[in-house]
Amino acid sequence: MAEAAPALEAWKADFLQTCIEGGVLRFGTFELKSKRISPYFFNAGLFHRADLLRSISTAYAETIRDFVDKNPLPIDVLFGPAYKGIPLATAATEKLADLDRDRFGRLSYAFNRKEAKDHGEGGNIVGCPLKGKNVVIVDDVITAGTAIREAIDIIEREGGKLTAIIVALDRMEKMPAEQDDDPAPRQSAIGQVRQRYGVPVLSILTLDEIIDGLSGLGTAEDIRRLGDYRDRYRASD
């Protein structure tokens, strides 16, 4: 008899429910940028409403706190890559201080400008200067890894030290090949980033956790289609 999947932690289950009820996580048939046909779609751009923003900032903060409870991780600054990462990092900074003022009460945030400012204080960075700081990137997802690599380049150029990355969702799927039906094992974009930079890449939810947590929230058909998609495109990492 197969073992039952472990129940999601309460804050993960609450976040998953909020994503579904708020239309952030939808089920159906969606063509991705990779041309894969996905049975689900996650749109972090919809966290613009106050209750939804509170939900994701709480989930980021809980994920970071849970990791720090078990692993030594120096954090001085949460960095939000422009543009989606800006409100996510800002809200998560405040929520971490709210959860644990002793450890995170003096945590800072920063984000980059797309174009350098040539007047006033100038520069590319808004918020805390990154020089000499331990920096955690906060973003929605890592799809191809291009945006994350650009963010890491900015942090290094500004003299900061990357210590971790956190995203809302780990899709757990392998990178596309020229022929995407190629069954050969491949890493995910997150796996490639972990390997290249040697830092933890955390996520609020994984595809496994979505499937495990869908009982009572999604239909049996939704769960079956997500499982089939996971099995077809599961990453090797």
Side-chain angles (χ1 to χ4, degrees), residues 65-229:
R65 182 174 69 167
D66 183 62
F67 185 83
V68 171
D69 283 345
K70 302 166 187 172
N71 307 272
L73 180 69
I75 309 174
D76 300 314
V77 181
L78 298 187
F79 180 81
Y83 289 104
K84 280 186 181 179
I86 295 174
L88 301 178
T90 305
T93 300
E94 190 280 331
K95 185 56 66 175
L96 267 169
D98 187 50
L99 288 179
D100 192 332
R101 189 163 299 274
D102 289 341
R103 279 192 293 182
F104 304 115
R106 297 183 67 82
L107 185 68
S108 293
Y109 72 84
F111 57 88
N112 62 298
R113 293 186 176 97
K114 287 288 190 180
E115 296 181 2
K117 188 177 180 183
D118 59 4
H119 59 280
E121 75 278 14
N124 288 91
I125 301 298
V126 179
C128 181
L130 301 182
K131 187 174 182 179
K133 302 296 186 182
N134 296 300
V135 182
V136 173
I137 295 175
V138 180
D139 213 348
D140 55 349
V141 295
I142 298 178
T143 304
T146 306
I148 284 292
R149 287 191 290 273
E150 290 174 354
I152 294 170
D153 287 345
I154 291 169
I155 292 166
E156 292 178 345
R157 191 165 60 244
E158 294 291 327
K161 179 183 178 183
L162 179 70
T163 57
I165 299 165
I166 181 169
V167 295
L169 175 64
D170 179 356
R171 293 179 62 93
M172 303 177 65
E173 63 183 80
K174 61 186 178 181
M175 293 290 289
E178 189 172 337
Q179 299 294 327
D180 204 32
D181 285 333
D182 176 6
R186 292 188 299 280
Q187 285 183 313
S188 66
I190 284 180
Q192 290 182 344
V193 169
R194 279 196 191 104
Q195 184 178 58
R196 177 172 177 178
Y197 296 101
V199 298
V201 182
L202 317 177
S203 62
I204 299 173
L205 288 174
T206 66
L207 180 55
D208 279 345
E209 289 173 326
I210 290 176
I211 293 170
D212 292 342
L214 268 184
S215 178
L217 297 175
T219 67
E221 178 64 10
D222 290 335
I223 296 170
R224 183 194 65 77
R225 294 184 70 219
L226 262 66
D228 289 347
Y229 185 85

Side-chain angles (χ1 to χ4, degrees), residues 11-121:
W11 56 269
K12 284 181 180 275
D14 289 345
F15 178 66
L16 176 58
Q17 182 171 354
T18 299
C19 287
I20 294 171
E21 292 177 352
V24 176
L25 177 61
R26 295 158 51 207
F27 305 106
T29 301
F30 306 93
E31 182 174 323
L32 306 180
K33 189 175 181 179
S34 65
K35 302 302 181 183
R36 288 177 181 164
I37 304 301
S38 172
Y40 72 105
F41 187 72
F42 181 83
N43 183 2
L46 296 180
F47 283 107
H48 52 75
R49 206 172 66 201
D51 57 332
L52 299 178
L53 182 61
R54 185 182 304 115
S55 174
I56 193 170
S57 65
T58 298
Y60 276 127
E62 291 280 11
T63 303
I64 292 171
R65 182 174 69 167
D66 183 62
F67 185 83
V68 171
D69 283 345
K70 302 166 187 172
N71 307 272
L73 180 69
I75 309 174
D76 300 314
V77 181
L78 298 187
F79 180 81
Y83 289 104
K84 280 186 181 179
I86 295 174
L88 301 178
T90 305
T93 300
E94 190 280 331
K95 185 56 66 175
L96 267 169
D98 187 50
L99 288 179
D100 192 332
R101 189 163 299 274
D102 289 341
R103 279 192 293 182
F104 304 115
R106 297 183 67 82
L107 185 68
S108 293
Y109 72 84
F111 57 88
N112 62 298
R113 293 186 176 97
K114 287 288 190 180
E115 296 181 2
K117 188 177 180 183
D118 59 4
H119 59 280
E121 75 278 14

